[in-house]
Amino acid sequence: MSIVVTGATGHLGRHVVEQLLEKVPAEQITAVVRDKEKAAGFAARGVRLAVADYNAPETFDHLFTAGDKVLLISGNEFDKGRVRQHTVVIEAAKAAGVALLAYTSAPGSLTAALADDHRATEEVLLASGLPYSLLRNAWYHENYTENLAPVLEHNAVVQAAGDGRVASASRADYAAAAVAVLTGEGHENTTYELGGDEAWSFAEYAAELSRQTGREIVYSPVSTEALAGILTGAGLPAPLAAVLAGVDASIEKGELAVSSGDLSRLIGRPTTPLTQAVTAALKG
């Protein structure tokens, strides 16, 4: 029996594997990667590597074994048919008879186009009959704090979210929830709505940036169309820019103000405050 993590060298996957290494012996962990070189550090610590690609179904043949617990981290190749990619993993897991398949999804309240692939993947997973756990992750602090350069250049937070609030948490928090599910008991056929303890507005975010930088940084709300234009101007493909702007429209409607408390309960501690993520990003 192994704990198998797909996308193990991605931003979230790395956190999951690191935290698993604190809980279980390395030989019980399998990191699924596309590039072995990127996972050399894990291999050196005794983690088993499996090379596979969502776009090549045959690479998942015999990757799983009966009794495995699997974390399917959603793909980020928006242009390559994510539901088809995820279905490859689900079908391979079903063929092997894994004990649990946990999937990093999106909040049930989210109606933006970003959620479409997640809802469709959930349907495939539920129809498979596999024991499942839906980890419906809300937004990450890092979605904002890792993109501070334009904010600091223009002294402005530009979003299309109005006065909407975001219950974000750190990647490490969401990874801790996944680890709790993968290493704990009784998580079969569960759905967790995961978000930070404190929801914040972009005006508050701008105020926090001002406080920590000693500069006057303002929140400049724009329309979703204007934001999509800004994102394409920054080099994002138009379809992806439209999807991200659509998330802001959902934020304005309160769809990312997750208030279930599931995340802090799963990880057994309060979630990481946004202020801490801002501090870390400014130091970096």
Side-chain angles (χ1 to χ4, degrees), residues 107-171:
S109 54
L110 187 65
T111 63
L114 182 74
D116 293 349
D117 287 351
H118 292 299
R119 295 290 92 82
T121 299
E122 289 183 2
E123 288 176 13
V124 173
L125 178 51
L126 268 59
S128 75
L130 280 170
Y132 67 87
S133 184
L134 301 179
L135 306 176
R136 289 179 167 171
N137 292 353
W139 235 209
Y140 300 179
H141 294 330
E142 291 87 348
N143 290 351
Y144 303 106
T145 60
E146 286 184 355
N147 296 288
L148 284 178
V151 173
L152 298 176
E153 181 183 348
H154 301 289
N155 290 318
V157 173
V158 180
Q159 300 288 154
D163 296 325
R165 303 183 77 79
V166 183
S168 63
S170 70
R171 280 198 195 104

Side-chain angles (χ1 to χ4, degrees), residues 190-269:
T190 52
T191 299
Y192 296 108
E193 298 287 348
L194 303 176
D197 295 337
E198 299 288 335
W200 49 269
S201 70
F202 285 100
E204 290 168 349
Y205 176 51
E208 182 59 28
L209 287 169
S210 299
R211 187 182 71 80
Q212 292 203 29
T213 61
R215 294 154 60 173
E216 186 179 351
I217 296 173
V218 299
Y219 171 41
S220 177
V222 297
S223 68
T224 52
E225 294 77 15
L227 181 61
I230 291 167
L231 294 173
T232 52
L236 286 188
L240 180 56
V243 165
L244 294 177
V247 171
D248 269 26
S250 285
I251 290 172
E252 184 167 24
K253 291 185 278 188
E255 294 177 5
L256 279 180
V258 176
S259 59
S260 66
D262 283 354
L263 182 51
S264 53
R265 275 195 296 273
L266 263 182
I267 65 180
R269 59 169 173 77

Side-chain angles (χ1 to χ4, degrees), residues 18-62:
E18 287 288 351
Q19 293 187 38
L20 281 172
L21 283 165
E22 297 172 6
K23 291 274 187 86
V24 299
E27 60 268 21
Q28 289 182 18
I29 305 167
T30 299
V32 181
V33 299
R34 286 193 289 198
D35 182 350
K36 264 191 171 179
E37 294 300 311
K38 289 185 177 177
F42 290 148
R45 293 161 72 184
V47 173
R48 175 173 171 258
L49 301 186
V51 178
D53 188 326
Y54 294 154
N55 300 305
E58 68 279 4
T59 60
F60 280 92
D61 291 347
H62 313 299

Side-chain angles (χ1 to χ4, degrees), residues 175-187:
V179 168
V181 166
L182 294 167
T183 59
E185 300 296 330
H187 297 289

